[in-house]
C-alpha cells in the first residue's frame, strides 16, 4: 500500500460560507454526541453496545438535516472510535498495555464540558470533494454535498489519491486536513480524486553515502546520534521542548485555578476557561512545531553526513518510567519514531527499531556495567579507564555494539537546539557544560 500523509490547509471561507460551515459542523457534532450518548449509556449499563442499531437510529433522525454522505462519515468515525476503544479494552484486560495505563475511556463528546459549546468538525468522504489548486500556495476546495467552493491557503506537499477530508474549527480558524496516498492514482470512477501537490513520491532526496547511524532517544537530548566512520556525534537538545512544556503547564494550571475559584464563588469564570483552552491549544501547537523541527533537523544532518540507515533504540528506562508525566505528554516515543521514520523516508534513509538492552547502564568503552556509571548532568563515567563521556552518546554507541556493528568513536560533539526557526548550532552558554566536552 502506498504511504499516506496528511496535508493541512487553512480555509478562508467568505462570511456566508463561514456561517454555513458553523451550522453544518454544529449539526455534525450534535449527531456525534447523540450517537455517542446512546452508546455510552449502553456501555455503562453493561448491555453491550449495539453499533448497528444506534447507527440506524441517529441516521434516520438526521438524514434530512445533514447530507447523508456527510452524516455517514460522522457515524462511521464514531464507529471507528468505539472499535478502537474495544480493542484497547481487550488489550488492557489481557495485560498487554504498558504498566502506566490503568484504564481506558470510551469515546468522548464533541463538546467542551464546561462551556457546553460543541467542537466543530466535519468529515467528508474521499469522493465527495475535490481540490482545485490555483497556484502553489492557494486554491479552492469544492465540497459537493454542501454546494460550497471554499478558498484555502497553504502549500500541498504531496500528490496522490485523496482520502478522507476533515474540516476542523480551531481557535477561531478553519482548517482542512486531508489524507493523501502519495503517488497513488484515484479510482477510475473518481478521476478528480487526485490531489496535485509538489511531490508524487515520498523519497525526495538520494542518500549521499551508505553509512549507518545509531540513535538514542531521551529527554535532555531528544536525539543523540553516532555515525559509522565519522568523528562527530550529534546531539539534538530537548531542553527547549522541556522549557516550553513546563511554561505552558504553569499557564494552564494558573488559568484553571482562577477559573475554579471564581466558579466556586459564583463569579463569571468563562473567560478564564477560554484562556485555559487557548493555552492548551498553543501548547500543543508549539510542541508539535518543536518536535517537527528537531526531527527534520536531525534528518538533514544525517543526510549531509552520508547516512542511509538509522538504528533507533527503544529506551527502556524512559518508557517504563511512569512517574514522568513529561515523557508521556511531550515525548510520546511512538509518535516521535513514527514521525522520524516518515521524514527520514524523504531523504531515502531507512529506520530500524533496535532492541535497546541495557544501553544506558552499560559502559560503551569497556562493556561492563559500572555501578552508578551514570552520574550527574548527563555524564557516564568508565570506572575502569576513568574516562567520562556523554551518557546519551554512551547509549547510542551501545546500540551499535549490541547489533554487532563497530562502535563509532566520535571525537567531537555537535549540539543543536530546535527553535521556532529551525535548528541552531549550540554555542557555549554554560547551561550544559558537558555537551561541549569531547565525546571520548
Ligand atoms: Zn567502562
Amino acid at each position: 500500500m502506498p504511504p499516506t500523509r496528511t496535508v493541512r490547509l487553512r480555509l478562508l471561507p467568505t462570511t456566508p460560507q463561514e456561517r454555513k460551515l458553523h451550522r453544518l459542523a454544529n449539526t455534525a457534532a450534535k449527531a456525534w454526541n447523540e450517537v455517542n450518548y446512546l452508546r455510552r449509556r449502553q456501555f455503562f449499563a453493561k448491555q453491550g453496545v449495539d453499533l448497528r442499531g444506534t447507527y440506524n437510529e441517529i441516521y434516520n433522525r438526521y438524514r434530512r438535516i445533514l447530507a447523508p454522505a456527510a452524516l455517514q462519515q460522522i457515524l462511521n468515525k464514531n464507529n471507528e472510535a468505539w472499535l478502537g476503544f474495544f480493542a484497547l479494552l481487550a488489550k488492557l484486560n489481557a495485560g498487554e498495555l504498558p504498566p502506566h495505563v490503568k484504564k481506558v475511556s470510551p469515546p468522548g463528546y464533541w463538546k467542551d464540558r464546561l462551556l457546553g459549546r460543541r467542537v466543530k468538525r466535519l468529515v467528508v468522504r474521499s469522493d465527495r470533494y475535490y481540490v482545485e489548486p490555483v497556484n502553489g500556495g492557494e486554491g479552492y476546495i469544492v465540497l459537493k454535498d454542501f454546494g460550497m467552493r471554499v478558498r484555502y491557503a497553504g502549500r500541498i506537499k504531496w500528490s496522490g489519491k485523496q482520502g478522507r477530508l476533515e474540516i476542523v474549527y480551531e481557535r477561531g480558524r478553519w482548517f482542512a486536513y486531508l489524507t493523501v496516498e502519495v503517488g497513488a492514482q484515484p479510482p477510475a470512477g473518481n478521476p478528480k480524486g487526485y490531489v496535485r501537490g509538489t511531490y508524487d513520491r515520498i523519497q525526495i532526496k538520494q542518500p549521499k553515502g551508505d553509512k549507518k547511524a545509531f540513535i538514542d532517544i531521551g529527554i535532555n537530548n531528544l536525539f543523540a546520534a553516532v555515525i559509522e566512520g565519522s568523528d562527530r556525534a550529534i546531539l539534538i537538545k530537548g531542553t527547549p521542548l522541556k522549557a516550553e512544556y513546563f511554561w505552558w503547564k504553569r499557564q494552564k494550571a494558573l488559568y484553571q485555578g482562577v477559573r475554579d475559584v471564581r466558579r466556586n464563588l459564583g463569579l463569571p469564570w468563562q473567560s478564564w476557561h477560554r484562556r485555559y483552552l487557548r493555552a492548551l491549544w498553543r501548547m500543543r501547537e508549539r510542541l508539535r512545531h518543536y518536535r517537527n523541527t528537531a526531527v527534520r533537523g536531525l534528518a538533514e544532518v544525517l543526510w549531509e553526513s552520508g547516512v542511509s540507515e538509522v538504528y533507533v533504540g527503544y529506551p527502556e528506562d524512559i518508557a517504563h518510567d511512569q512517574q514522568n508525566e513529561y515523557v508521556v505528554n511531550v515525548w510520546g516515543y511512538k509518535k516521535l519514531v513514527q514521525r522520524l521514520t516518515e521524514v527520514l523516508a524523504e531523504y531515502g534513509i531507512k529506520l530500524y527499531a533496535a532492541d535497546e538492552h541495557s544501553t544506558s547502564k552499560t559502559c560503551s568503552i569497556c562493556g561492563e556495567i559500572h555501578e552508578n556509571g551514570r552520574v550527574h548532568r548527563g555524564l557516564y563515567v568508565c570506572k575502569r579507564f576513568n574516562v567520562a563521556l556523554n551518557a546519551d552518546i554512551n547509549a547510542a554507541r551501545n546500540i551499535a555494539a549490541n547489533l554487532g556493528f563497530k562502535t563509532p568513536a566520535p571525537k567531537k560533539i555537535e549540539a543543536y537546539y530546535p527553535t521556532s526557526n529551525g535548528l541552531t548550532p549550540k554555542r557555549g552558554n554554560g547551561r550544559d557544560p558537558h555537551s561541549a566536552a569531547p565525546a571520548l
Side-chain angles (χ1 to χ4, degrees):
M1 218 186 99
T4 300
R5 294 289 186 272
T6 303
V7 173
R8 184 203 212 206
L9 300 169
R10 170 92 189 267
L11 290 179
L12 303 164
T14 61
T15 310
Q17 282 178 337
E18 174 150 43
R19 221 175 287 140
K20 191 166 175 182
L21 279 177
H22 275 296
R23 204 175 59 234
L24 287 165
N26 200 38
T27 311
K30 262 160 93 172
W32 170 281
N33 290 341
E34 283 183 33
V35 80
N36 205 45
Y37 170 75
L38 295 178
R39 291 170 174 183
R40 284 177 73 106
R41 205 177 50 181
Q42 291 177 343
F43 176 75
F44 288 114
K46 301 202 167 24
Q47 289 172 341
V49 179
D50 175 10
L51 290 181
R52 185 185 290 253
T54 47
Y55 187 107
N56 290 339
E57 184 176 342
I58 300 303
Y59 182 78
N60 288 326
R61 196 180 295 170
Y62 277 89
R63 72 197 159 113
R64 276 175 211 87
I65 317 172
L66 197 63
L71 178 56
Q72 279 165 5
Q73 290 302 299
I74 297 289
L75 296 174
N76 289 346
K77 196 176 162 76
N78 193 266
N79 277 359
E80 287 163 25
W82 277 92
L83 293 173
F85 165 63
F86 291 143
L88 269 182
L89 204 58
K91 276 193 171 172
L92 183 72
N93 293 336
E96 287 166 7
L97 291 184
H100 69 270
V101 182
K102 297 264 187 313
K103 64 176 265 221
V104 292
S105 309
Y109 296 107
W110 285 1
K111 194 175 201 171
D112 178 81
R113 216 155 27 98
L114 290 178
L115 293 175
R117 202 181 287 155
R118 292 185 192 96
V119 172
K120 294 194 177 132
R121 190 181 292 150
L122 283 166
V123 187
V124 184
R125 206 169 71 190
S126 61
D127 60 347
R128 302 307 300 159
Y129 75 97
Y130 49 87
V131 183
E132 294 178 348
V134 171
N135 57 45
E138 59 186 315
Y140 292 89
I141 293 185
V142 177
L143 303 166
K144 300 189 205 174
D145 291 318
F146 310 132
M148 291 167 92
R149 186 167 175 266
V150 185
R151 201 157 82 84
Y152 73 79
R155 296 187 65 80
I156 299 179
K157 185 166 180 176
W158 306 111
S159 295
K161 181 183 160 190
Q162 68 190 32
R164 191 151 77 175
L165 163 74
E166 293 207 17
I167 296 175
V168 188
Y169 187 63
E170 291 172 11
R171 307 295 324 158
R173 288 174 281 189
W174 291 92
F175 291 96
Y177 293 85
L178 49 125
T179 50
V180 181
E181 266 180 48
V182 181
Q185 291 302 315
N190 184 30
K192 276 185 161 180
Y194 184 83
V195 179
R196 211 167 300 281
T198 311
Y199 304 104
D200 66 356
R201 41 181 291 181
I202 294 285
Q203 188 179 335
I204 296 165
K205 292 182 171 177
Q206 284 298 326
K208 286 183 167 182
D210 59 358
K211 291 182 184 166
K212 296 178 176 65
F214 306 93
I215 299 181
D216 175 72
I217 297 184
I219 294 173
N220 287 324
N221 293 306
L222 199 55
F223 302 113
V226 292
I227 303 165
E228 208 178 43
S230 163
D231 62 352
R232 300 183 307 158
I234 313 293
L235 294 182
I236 310 287
K237 306 298 288 178
T239 25
L241 252 116
K242 206 171 165 181
E244 192 81 16
Y245 174 74
F246 285 106
W247 194 81
W248 286 108
K249 197 186 152 186
R250 270 198 304 278
Q251 295 298 107
K252 270 167 46 195
L254 171 70
Y255 298 147
Q256 224 173 351
V258 176
R259 175 197 75 194
D260 292 345
V261 167
R262 294 183 66 93
R263 253 185 116 204
N264 289 338
L265 292 172
L267 295 167
W269 50 270
Q270 286 79 354
S271 71
W272 290 93
H273 183 57
R274 269 181 226 114
R275 274 180 222 198
Y276 163 76
L277 291 177
R278 190 170 55 219
L280 202 70
W281 188 75
R282 290 200 58 196
M283 170 163 152
R284 222 184 51 211
E285 288 288 299
R286 298 278 299 175
L287 291 176
R288 183 174 64 179
H289 183 74
Y290 270 111
R291 257 195 310 254
N292 285 344
T293 306
V295 165
R296 193 153 292 277
L298 176 69
E300 193 75 30
V301 173
L302 293 176
W303 179 75
E304 282 292 343
S305 313
V307 170
S308 68
E309 283 179 11
V310 157
Y311 294 81
V312 175
Y314 185 83
E316 47 185 348
D317 51 334
I318 288 177
H320 296 170
D321 188 354
Q322 47 166 300
Q323 48 84 23
N324 201 333
E325 47 148 278
Y326 168 76
V327 169
V328 178
N329 288 319
V330 176
W331 183 88
Y333 174 81
K334 254 178 132 171
K335 237 177 30 199
L336 195 61
V337 169
Q338 199 203 332
R339 184 79 195 128
L340 187 60
T341 308
E342 287 177 5
V343 173
L344 285 174
E346 294 178 26
Y347 293 82
I349 301 174
K350 290 199 173 62
L351 181 145
Y352 302 96
D355 180 19
E356 189 171 340
H357 184 67
S358 299
T359 46
S360 58
K361 294 186 201 89
T362 309
C363 173
S364 66
I365 298 171
C366 69
E368 286 171 24
I369 294 182
H370 304 300
E371 279 295 314
N372 307 320
R374 232 185 145 110
V375 294
H376 67 105
R377 295 293 289 173
L379 277 189
Y380 189 96
V381 176
C382 172
K383 303 269 165 71
R384 190 151 149 202
F385 295 111
N386 201 26
V387 225
L389 71 160
N390 179 293
D392 294 330
I393 290 173
N394 179 59
R397 275 166 45 87
N398 282 330
I399 295 171
N402 283 354
L403 291 167
F405 293 111
K406 189 166 175 288
T407 315
K411 298 281 177 294
K412 57 175 190 276
I413 296 179
E414 277 176 26
Y416 297 91
Y417 278 97
T419 69
S420 44
N421 231 334
L423 282 190
T424 49
K426 179 194 187 288
R427 309 203 194 290
N429 61 1
R431 273 162 71 191
D432 189 2
H434 298 300
S435 66
L440 284 179

